[in-house]
Amino acid sequence: MKRVVTIFLLLCFGVFGAMAQKGTLTGMFTDKANNDPLIGATMMIKGSTTGTITNFDGQYTIDKLEPGVYVFQASFIGYSPVEQKIEIIADQVVTYDVQLSQDLIGLDEVVVTGVVNQKSALESSVAMTTIKPKFMKEFGAVTTAEMFKAIPGIRSESSGGEGNANIAVRGVPVASGGSKFLLLQEDGLPILQFGDISFGNADIFLRADQTVGRVEAIKGGSASTFASNSPAGIINFISKTGDFAGGSIGTTFGVDYNSFRTDFEYGSPVGEDLKFHVGGFFRQGTGPRDPGYTANFGGQIKANITKTFEKGYARLYFKYLNDKAISYMPMPVMITGTADNPSYSSIPGFDLKHGAMQSAGFLLVNGVDGQGNSRTSNISDGMHPVSSSVGGEFSFDIGEGWNLKEKFRMSFTKGTFNSPFPAQVGAADGIAQDIAGAGYMLSYANGANAGVALSGSEIQNLNGNGLLMRIHLFDTEMNNLNNFTNDIYLTKSIDKLKVTLGYYKAYQKIAMTWLWQTFLTDVSSHGGPRLMNIESADGSFYSENGLISHGTPYWGNITRGYDVGYSIDAPYANMELEVSDKLNVDASVRYDFGSANGYYLNNHTAAVDVNKDGDISPVESSVPTLDNANPNLVDYDYDYVSYSVGANYKIDKDKAVYARYSKGGRANADRLLYTPFLTDEGNTIDGLSADKISQAELGYKYKSPKIGLIATGFYTKISEQNEEFGRSINKEFRTMGVELELVAQLGKLNITSGATYTNAEILKSINSAEEGNVPRRVPALLYNINPSYPLLNGKFILGCSLVGTTKVYAQDDNTIELPAYAYLNAFASYKIVNGLTARVNVNNLTNTLGFTEMEGDTFVDNSTNYFRARPITGTATSVTITYSF
């Protein structure tokens, strides 16, 4: 027994003695410029997985270290990393405080978007822009897509509300809508496989909130070979993963408009090898344009959990989005002067800066579905995405220089798109006679003046402008946009050569029903537009609560239904060679192939008792329904090859030059339907199943403690086939220009800026008269300048953002211009106490009137013209109170 006790005591003392031989490293991370603590910074032993994260006070501790000399790496997102040799002494605490300098332009940050082998932006032969959460807050964007305007090279026509933005890169035209050649991603996988699905643009299903750690944008470069359908670029929203314990809760409310939003997020390590993050938002309100009802209502929740292993990690994540958001369509605008020198202004009675096409008196709509069954829709649903996503990410070192990585996600997605579109704006008497003939009777359909008939003089001066609108209600059901993505690749390191082989497998369902109707309204924005009823002189035609047709005969009855599945397979390969410490080259190739299978339906008209009252009224005598008995087949295959070759030369630790040539493709999806580009057998006309982009880039990167610069020259050729409401598009374009991103730290003054100069031309078109013209809505210059300045020892920060564009042509015929404009956003933030901050943002402080797009109406010089254009929103002020813990 004594012997056992003795052995036990010796073992205990031996263990404690061994523990006593360990050493500890501790210290604090601070910003070198202002001495603020850096929360979530990383201290690691170089070449090891041993390390830690700083806490809320910027402090870190690594204990149980064996005695010896180590090289420690200190890093933090947005700052230049440092390395330091430190000797760990047995049974002692070594203190090492770290001061990091801001990496003003992010050249020291590791690029994870559009690459397979991660390296710093300075060492990568791609044009990369990174947006941090701090800048997202200060830029003052009202919507997610408006934030993209801060990215040089990106043209984001974000005037459509919380979604439905037109997004393009480096002058690549937007021939129809959406982001055809640009892919929107979350955590490295696409939101949707195609960015320009009709009424299902990818940005409708994307929301920026406090769960976003940063946004990375690649323009051109290797985007064409490391993702499908993205030859012009990728914008990737990267989620926080709980690297350190902490979170925030914030409330944002409108000052001059009705809106209330709560954001929350929290993440934390759980033990040494597990961490999680969860967050989201909820909001409700009218939005900055008041339609007279709650137009924005809903939110999202996201969560992820990460398990770290000795040789890799595994991560699972989840997202649920259910958010109604109002959609802004083109609005009636008055234009005078000449086509060469037009003057734009609001129509009397309609405020272009704060008015909307929706109104409280124009909500419930009775109609029929594709089979002629009665249905009721609600315009207040607006853009209503409902999406549940589950995914994962795995990365492991499997030995002998091999690394395996896989990402996958399944999304169950559907929704609605409901928005009134002005198909025609004109003199009330002219539109009324076109609908009901001479001797018509016009009256208000509802409201306080319901049934009150209008006389001739009242019609001529209706609402102070004497105008009516023929409204087409874009009532679209996104029945099924489910999609699946799996991306797996192996990388082998052989000395200074890395070889990657991967396989991308994806599927996208696109099932939609377009159930559009036509209404008659006045032109007003104060409680309107108001529905108008009209009746012919002989009573043979009369409208019902403003409805003049179940369908859109003015456009040839665009009632559609389709259900098509798109498969995508893409093996790819990449080689990267570190020729020297300064020069690295890479080459990648991707072969995309897939198929489209399904059907689309034409429509036919018939008498339908829509309201089930036993009678067929005039508007029920010709109701479009889908021709389910005669489906049009969709059955085609496609394939195309993409490749990219690049080189980066690191002049020194602060400067680099790079060059790249790429050729990429983009498969066409639902916008090929209802065009002559599909045969009766469901095949595509040879060569039209995919569009192509060829691009060359030459860039320069520079960083210092005071200035960061990225300058890229580009040359691009594009071929595109498309369709927009019956208009077939088959064109070739050429763009070239320069993209600049400049960040400067001048004392306490910080300035972030970007600009893109573009020269673009239509090379070929179905309409030969357009050849040689400038593509529509491509400006010669896009720019943004964002200065900020701290006061009161950094507790108070003032800043602004100037966003501008030169004039553009409204259409490819180059007959009328949309004027240049610039607007100013401003913000002020104040740190009340530690962790509690108040911020005021003013979007469009100057209340500027600007337009992002316009329909192709005929312009008459030196007359009053009424067009339909989509304006930016006027001044909108919000206050945010955030507590970080």
Side-chain angles (χ1 to χ4, degrees):
M1 185 65 181
K2 289 181 179 180
R3 183 177 299 174
V4 173
V5 172
T6 301
I7 294 173
F8 175 75
L9 291 174
L10 288 173
L11 287 173
C12 287
F13 283 119
V15 171
F16 290 134
M19 291 179 63
Q21 297 302 310
K22 305 287 187 178
T24 299
L25 179 68
T26 188
M28 184 172 184
F29 277 60
T30 54
D31 184 308
K32 191 173 183 178
N34 55 33
N35 212 37
D36 285 345
L38 300 180
I39 306 165
T42 301
M43 177 65 83
M44 300 287 294
I45 296 177
K46 187 175 182 179
S48 168
T49 58
T50 301
T52 189
I53 304 294
T54 58
N55 63 18
F56 200 79
D57 296 317
Q59 296 176 338
Y60 75 94
T61 298
I62 308 176
D63 55 15
K64 300 179 182 178
L65 293 172
E66 295 288 348
V69 177
Y70 299 87
V71 177
F72 286 90
Q73 294 177 316
S75 62
F76 186 56
I77 293 176
Y79 288 76
S80 297
V82 297
E83 293 185 358
Q84 180 68 39
K85 282 186 178 181
I86 300 174
E87 182 179 3
I88 300 300
I89 302 172
D91 202 22
Q92 288 191 22
V93 176
V94 178
T95 300
Y96 172 55
D97 291 329
V98 182
Q99 285 193 320
L100 296 182
S101 299
Q102 286 195 49
D103 177 15
L104 296 178
I105 206 164
L107 291 181
D108 285 319
E109 291 187 9
V110 174
V111 177
V112 301
T113 300
V115 297
V116 288
N117 297 311
Q118 299 177 8
K119 58 172 67 73
S120 73
L122 188 69
E123 298 170 323
S124 300
S125 53
V126 294
M128 165 68 71
T129 296
T130 302
I131 302 179
K132 314 287 195 315
K134 182 175 181 290
F135 183 80
M136 295 181 204
K137 299 173 185 176
E138 296 176 352
F139 187 65
V142 174
T143 65
T144 301
E146 188 179 4
M147 183 177 64
F148 299 157
K149 292 184 177 182
I151 303 173
I154 300 294
R155 185 176 87 255
S156 180
E157 298 172 350
S158 57
S159 53
E162 192 60 62
N164 198 37
N166 301 318
I167 310 170
V169 185
R170 294 175 174 171
V172 175
V174 178
S176 53
S179 56
K180 178 167 185 176
F181 297 103
L182 173 80
L183 199 66
L184 297 181
Q185 293 185 341
E186 274 188 315
D187 298 314
L189 293 177
I191 303 294
L192 297 171
Q193 301 297 330
F194 307 98
D196 67 335
I197 297 172
S198 295
F199 300 102
N201 294 355
D203 68 318
I204 293 176
F205 301 88
L206 178 65
R207 299 288 186 270
D209 61 20
Q210 294 303 308
T211 64
V212 178
R214 69 186 188 277
V215 177
E216 287 187 351
I218 279 187
K219 289 81 51 124
S222 55
S224 59
T225 52
F226 292 125
S228 294
N229 301 319
S230 60
I234 299 169
I235 299 178
N236 185 18
F237 282 63
I238 301 170
S239 302
K240 297 175 183 177
T241 55
D243 294 324
F244 65 95
S248 65
I249 183 167
T251 297
T252 301
F253 56 90
V255 175
D256 47 14
Y257 65 100
N258 182 357
S259 181
F260 190 91
R261 171 170 167 153
T262 297
D263 283 80
F264 65 95
E265 54 95 14
Y266 181 75
S268 177
V270 182
E272 295 184 354
D273 54 10
L274 193 67
K275 58 184 178 180
F276 75 94
H277 192 272
V278 61
F281 75 91
F282 172 79
R283 55 103 177 253
Q284 68 87 30
T286 62
R289 294 180 178 272
D290 185 8
Y293 59 86
T294 298
N296 298 326
F297 185 88
Q300 77 173 2
I301 186 167
K302 293 169 58 180
N304 61 68
I305 185 168
T306 305
K307 172 72 172 178
T308 303
F309 302 92
E310 183 180 353
K311 294 186 177 182
Y313 69 89
R315 178 175 299 132
L316 297 175
Y317 51 80
F318 165 80
K319 183 182 89 168
Y320 177 68
L321 169 68
N322 189 335
D323 185 37
K324 295 181 182 180
I326 190 171
S327 170
Y328 303 129
M329 288 285 126
M331 300 178 188
V333 58
M334 184 167 66
I335 313 178
T336 55
T338 64
D340 293 333
N341 187 27
S343 177
Y344 290 72
S345 61
S346 292
I347 295 171
F350 192 95
D351 181 3
L352 282 168
K353 297 176 182 178
H354 293 97
M357 294 298 296
Q358 294 86 349
S359 69
F362 186 15
L363 288 178
L364 288 181
V365 178
N366 295 318
V368 296
D369 61 16
Q371 287 70 48
N373 302 311
S374 296
R375 68 184 284 270
T376 300
S377 61
N378 194 325
I379 293 176
S380 69
D381 286 343
M383 296 178 288
H384 184 192
V386 180
S387 182
S388 299
S389 299
V390 179
E393 180 177 323
F394 301 88
S395 180
F396 288 95
D397 179 357
I398 57 179
E400 299 184 2
W402 288 95
N403 183 270
L404 172 67
K405 189 163 187 176
E406 179 171 15
K407 295 181 288 186
F408 64 89
R409 179 161 60 220
M410 181 71 192
S411 295
F412 303 92
T413 301
K414 61 181 181 178
T416 61
F417 188 103
N418 212 315
S419 187
F421 181 95
Q424 183 186 21
V425 180
D429 185 63
I431 290 180
Q433 286 203 42
D434 185 56
I435 294 171
Y440 63 85
M441 185 179 72
L442 192 68
S443 63
Y444 291 100
N446 55 24
N449 296 319
V452 176
L454 302 176
S455 64
S457 60
E458 290 172 323
I459 294 172
Q460 293 175 6
N461 195 41
L462 179 64
N463 199 47
N465 52 51
L467 302 175
L468 285 174
M469 289 190 290
R470 193 190 308 248
I471 297 291
H472 286 171
L473 180 63
F474 289 170
D475 189 350
T476 305
E477 295 180 351
M478 296 180 280
N479 303 309
N480 189 338
L481 293 180
N482 294 350
N483 61 90
F484 169 77
T485 309
N486 191 94
D487 190 6
I488 184 170
Y489 57 88
L490 272 170
T491 298
K492 172 69 172 178
S493 297
I494 310 170
D495 195 16
K496 295 186 177 183
L497 176 67
K498 290 184 177 179
V499 180
T500 299
L501 298 174
Y503 200 94
Y504 181 92
K505 176 68 178 178
Y507 179 80
Q508 178 69 63
K509 186 77 164 179
I510 306 179
M512 287 197 179
T513 312
W514 299 14
L515 303 168
W516 300 0
Q517 302 185 65
T518 307
F519 293 83
L520 185 66
T521 75
D522 68 359
V523 177
S524 61
S525 61
H526 301 290
R530 292 171 291 186
L531 290 167
M532 308 296 296
N533 271 336
I534 191 167
E535 184 177 349
S536 62
D538 60 4
S540 61
F541 174 82
Y542 56 86
S543 61
E544 298 176 356
N545 197 32
L547 176 73
I548 58 176
S549 176
H550 286 286
T552 53
Y554 189 66
W555 281 359
N557 276 333
I558 302 181
T559 297
R560 295 179 177 180
Y562 47 94
D563 189 330
V564 185
Y566 298 86
S567 68
I568 303 170
D569 288 82
Y572 58 93
N574 178 69
M575 296 182 64
E576 294 183 18
L577 176 63
E578 187 180 334
V579 180
S580 67
D581 291 340
K582 294 189 174 185
L583 176 65
N584 67 75
V585 297
D586 67 90
S588 52
V589 63
R590 185 184 188 93
Y591 175 54
D592 276 270
F593 64 95
S595 61
N597 302 100
Y599 65 87
Y600 65 99
L601 303 172
N602 293 322
N603 66 69
H604 57 140
T605 59
V608 179
D609 185 8
V610 176
N611 58 15
K612 304 299 181 183
D613 65 353
D615 294 320
I616 299 296
S617 66
V619 295
E620 295 174 328
S621 62
S622 184
V623 178
T625 57
L626 295 174
D627 186 4
N628 293 278
N630 298 287
N632 300 289
L633 297 181
V634 179
D635 184 16
Y636 65 86
D637 299 327
Y638 70 89
D639 65 283
Y640 60 90
V641 176
S642 304
Y643 61 86
S644 183
V645 180
N648 189 86
Y649 183 76
K650 190 175 178 181
I651 300 170
D652 55 35
K653 65 181 181 63
D654 297 322
K655 297 184 287 291
V657 292
Y658 72 96
R660 180 171 290 276
Y661 181 80
S662 306
K663 185 172 184 179
R666 195 277 190 191
N668 284 307
D670 65 313
R671 290 183 184 267
L672 272 183
L673 309 178
Y674 303 95
T675 72
F677 305 144
L678 281 181
T679 67
D680 291 341
E681 293 77 24
N683 298 318
T684 59
I685 295 176
D686 187 41
L688 298 186
S689 61
D691 297 340
K692 305 292 177 59
I693 287 185
S694 301
Q695 50 194 322
E697 305 167 64
L698 181 63
Y700 173 75
K701 308 171 189 178
Y702 171 76
K703 70 179 180 71
S704 74
K706 294 186 179 297
I707 293 178
L709 170 68
I710 302 175
T712 305
F714 58 87
Y715 181 89
T716 309
K717 291 187 70 175
I718 309 104
S719 67
E720 180 180 19
Q721 294 75 45
N722 221 316
E723 186 272 347
E724 187 176 45
F725 304 156
R727 179 174 65 96
S728 296
I729 300 166
N730 189 355
K731 298 183 181 183
E732 292 185 9
F733 307 91
R734 185 268 304 154
T735 74
M736 58 183 175
V738 179
E739 172 188 300
L740 294 173
E741 184 173 0
L742 176 65
V743 182
Q745 188 72 49
L746 307 175
K748 293 183 177 181
L749 177 65
N750 179 272
I751 301 175
T752 300
S753 60
T756 307
Y757 169 76
T758 305
N759 180 293
E761 180 183 357
I762 300 171
L763 300 179
K764 292 183 180 179
S765 174
I766 294 174
N767 180 2
S768 60
E770 295 176 346
E771 295 177 2
N773 288 353
V774 178
R776 69 175 187 171
R777 308 203 307 265
V778 176
L781 181 65
L782 281 170
Y783 58 91
N784 68 86
I785 305 171
N786 318 285
S788 62
Y789 192 86
L791 299 166
L792 304 178
N793 295 320
K795 293 185 67 175
F796 186 61
I797 302 176
L798 287 173
C800 64
S801 299
L802 180 68
V803 182
T805 176
T806 54
K807 65 183 181 181
V808 299
Y809 287 109
Q811 296 295 330
D812 287 344
D813 58 14
N814 288 187
T815 58
I816 186 169
E817 297 174 347
L818 289 173
Y821 66 89
Y823 66 94
L824 188 70
N825 299 335
F827 79 91
S829 67
Y830 182 72
K831 185 184 293 184
I832 301 170
V833 295
N834 189 30
L836 183 63
T837 303
R839 188 180 72 255
V840 178
N841 284 91
V842 185
N843 185 273
N844 196 357
L845 176 66
T846 50
N847 205 30
T848 296
L849 180 62
F851 298 91
T852 61
E853 64 177 76
M854 187 164 71
E855 302 305 305
D857 298 326
T858 302
F859 187 88
V860 180
D861 285 348
N862 302 311
S863 297
T864 299
N865 296 271
Y866 299 107
F867 270 56
R868 299 156 298 148
R870 200 162 75 172
I872 64 173
T873 300
T875 303
T877 307
S878 63
V879 173
T880 301
I881 306 295
T882 302
Y883 180 66
S884 301
F885 52 91

